[in-house]
């Protein structure tokens, strides 16, 4: 049974499972508690029992698994805007259009609207698996808000955690040149990785997608790389179909497929198999792209893709 299908990867060594279990036992506030009805609380987050093992910490030979539940109040932006506009219209009606509303009043109106809507807002629950391997932490979501929440409660669990999130920024030129070299010469210098079937190139706001298995597309792909397009997203195979995944520019892993898992495996055996493969895969990937200071790289602004 595969547990990690999408992931933000943190390069860190976590404490042994015994320390983690003890820390959870000593910190009951870190256990998930659903929000009460009518509360102004917007988010609740905490550890929950794994559905398969029934444990808060599921131990296996190569590491352990934690699960975090995140409950969010769903406040729709357009509803907030409509409520604010209605309140402003009411105020202007009472005082007249010649008396402008101050910045302080605007902030107070906005806060009042958000609090009111939050009290009665519907909730949404999501579950984020955290797979801890020998060298990495795989936070099982690419949603920025949820990954930050899951990472934050993990840091709260551990007194101090020296870690760095791995980003693709700065790696794209390397992947782009490796892909071009592979097509031009037939030599795969990304080994033990290889491009699978899909690649998305981007230049400024223009995006072009290709099926790299289609040899006819290779000439146009290389031509656009020469024109300054870089790999934005690429499907990759690791070690002859041990793992397949989509890699995006933030170094997030999407649509992960771990081959070799089957329904006959014991749960802890499947966790160990999956964690071992993913740990080796990330170690091999970092060997391709060594950087002195990952933390100093600033995230690039997102741009909406326009068809070429």
């Amino acid at each position: 049974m595969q547990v990690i299908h999408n992931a933000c990867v943190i390069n860190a060594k976590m404490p042994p499972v015994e320390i983690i279990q003890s820390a959870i036992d000593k910190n009951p506030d870190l256990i998930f508690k659903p929000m009460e009805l009518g509360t102004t609380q917007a988010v609740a987050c905490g550890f929950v029992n794994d559905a398969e093992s029934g444990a808060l910490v599921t131990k296996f030979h190569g590491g352990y698994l934690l699960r975090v539940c995140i409950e969010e109040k769903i406040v729709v932006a357009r509803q907030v805007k409509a409520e604010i506009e209605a309140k402003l219209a009411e105020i202007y009606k009472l005082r007249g259009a010649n008396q402008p509303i101050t910045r302080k009043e605007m902030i107070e109106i906005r806060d009042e609207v958000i609090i009111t809507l939050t009290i009665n807002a519907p909730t949404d629950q999501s579950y984020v698996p955290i797979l801890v391997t020998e060298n990495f932490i795989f936070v099982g979501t690419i949603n920025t808000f949820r990954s930050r929440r899951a990472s934050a409660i993990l840091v709260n669990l551990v007194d101090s955690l020296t870690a760095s999130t791995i980003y693709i920024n700065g790696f794209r030129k390397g992947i782009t040149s490796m892909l071009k070299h592979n097509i031009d010469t037939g030599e795969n210098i990304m080994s033990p990785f290889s491009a699978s079937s899909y690649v998305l190139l981007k230049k400024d706001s223009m995006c072009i997608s290709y099926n790299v298995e289609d040899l006819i597309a290779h000439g146009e792909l290389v031509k656009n790389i020469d024109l300054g397009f870089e790999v934005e997203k690429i499907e990759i195979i690791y070690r002859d179909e041990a793992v397949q995944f989509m890699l995006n520019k933030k170094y997030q892993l999407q649509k992960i497929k771990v081959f070799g898992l089957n329904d006959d495996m014991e749960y802890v055996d499947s966790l160990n198999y999956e964690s071992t493969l993913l740990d080796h895969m990330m170690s091999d990937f970092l060997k391709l792209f060594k950087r002195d200071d990952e933390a100093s790289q600033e995230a690039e602004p997102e741009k909406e893709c326009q068809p070429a």
Side-chain angles (χ1 to χ4, degrees):
M1 177 181 178
Q2 184 175 334
V3 297
I4 300 295
H5 300 277
N6 300 285
C8 296
V9 186
I10 300 173
N11 187 7
K13 284 184 177 292
M14 284 286 286
V17 64
E18 294 79 13
I19 293 179
I20 292 297
Q21 184 66 68
S22 175
I24 291 180
D25 293 341
K26 293 176 181 177
N27 293 275
D29 290 342
L30 296 179
I31 305 300
F32 175 73
K33 299 177 186 66
M35 287 184 283
E36 297 180 2
L37 294 175
T39 180
T40 57
Q41 183 181 0
V43 181
C45 181
F47 294 104
V48 293
N49 291 332
D50 179 69
E52 292 293 323
S53 69
L56 283 169
V57 186
T58 304
K59 179 183 177 181
F60 51 91
H61 179 70
Y64 48 92
L65 175 71
L66 301 161
R67 286 190 184 271
V68 172
C69 180
I70 302 171
E71 187 175 53
E72 309 168 56
K73 289 281 187 72
I74 308 302
V75 179
V76 182
R78 63 175 177 272
Q79 188 178 4
V80 174
K81 181 181 179 182
E83 291 288 335
I84 290 175
E85 289 176 349
K87 283 188 173 293
L88 291 177
E90 185 179 342
I91 292 172
Y92 281 127
K93 184 178 179 180
L94 292 173
R95 68 165 64 168
N98 293 328
Q99 288 184 285
I101 295 175
T102 66
R103 173 176 163 76
K104 180 181 179 181
E105 288 176 316
M106 281 293 299
I107 293 174
E108 291 174 348
I109 292 169
R110 183 201 62 192
D111 291 346
E112 180 185 346
V113 166
I114 291 175
I115 290 172
T116 302
L117 292 176
T118 298
I119 291 173
N120 301 308
T123 60
D124 176 64
Q125 281 189 356
S126 57
Y127 295 87
V128 179
I130 300 176
L131 187 67
V132 178
T133 68
E134 183 179 354
N135 300 294
F136 302 96
I137 303 168
F138 294 84
V139 181
T141 179
I142 59 172
N143 178 283
T144 301
F145 172 80
R146 292 170 187 169
S147 66
R148 285 178 178 173
R149 281 284 174 174
S151 300
I153 195 171
L154 195 63
V155 172
N156 288 337
L157 178 63
V158 184
D159 290 334
S160 61
L161 175 64
T162 302
S164 61
T165 304
I166 302 170
Y167 293 103
I168 192 64
N169 294 340
F171 291 166
R172 284 193 294 165
K173 290 184 184 298
I175 293 176
T176 302
S177 62
M178 287 180 179
L179 178 63
K180 182 176 183 296
H181 180 89
N182 188 4
I183 294 173
D184 284 343
T185 68
E187 178 189 6
N188 180 23
I189 56 176
M190 287 181 64
S191 182
F193 299 88
S194 59
S196 180
S197 60
Y198 175 84
V199 61
L200 177 70
L201 298 184
K202 183 176 181 181
K203 179 182 179 183
D204 299 325
S205 62
M206 187 177 294
C207 298
I208 310 173
S209 62
Y210 293 95
N211 181 346
V212 295
E213 292 178 340
D214 183 1
L215 296 178
I216 297 176
H218 285 182
E220 184 183 347
L221 191 153
V222 171
K223 177 182 175 182
N224 281 311
I225 289 176
D226 289 337
L227 290 174
F229 281 81
E230 295 180 355
V231 172
E232 178 79 1
K233 187 182 290 188
I234 186 169
E235 189 176 71
I236 290 177
I237 290 285
Y238 174 62
R239 290 196 181 280
D240 297 327
E241 298 192 357
V243 183
Q244 178 180 295
F245 60 95
M246 190 79 72
L247 184 74
N248 67 21
K249 73 171 186 178
K250 295 181 179 179
Y251 210 161
Q252 297 168 335
L253 310 183
Q254 299 173 267
K255 300 180 180 179
I256 303 169
K257 174 65 176 176
V258 177
F259 297 96
L261 292 173
N262 60 70
D263 296 336
D264 296 330
M265 281 185 171
E266 294 289 337
Y267 185 51
V268 292
D269 292 336
S270 68
L271 288 175
N272 186 62
Y273 179 86
E274 179 179 351
S275 68
T276 300
L277 267 180
L278 293 180
D279 188 274
H280 289 171
M281 181 183 78
M282 293 308 301
S283 295
D284 285 341
F285 200 94
L286 290 183
K287 290 175 184 175
L288 294 177
F289 306 97
K290 293 182 179 179
R291 298 171 63 190
D292 294 330
D293 186 11
E294 293 175 349
S296 67
Q297 296 290 333
E298 296 183 358
E300 298 178 6
E302 294 288 340
K303 296 180 181 178
E304 184 178 353
C305 291
Q306 302 294 331

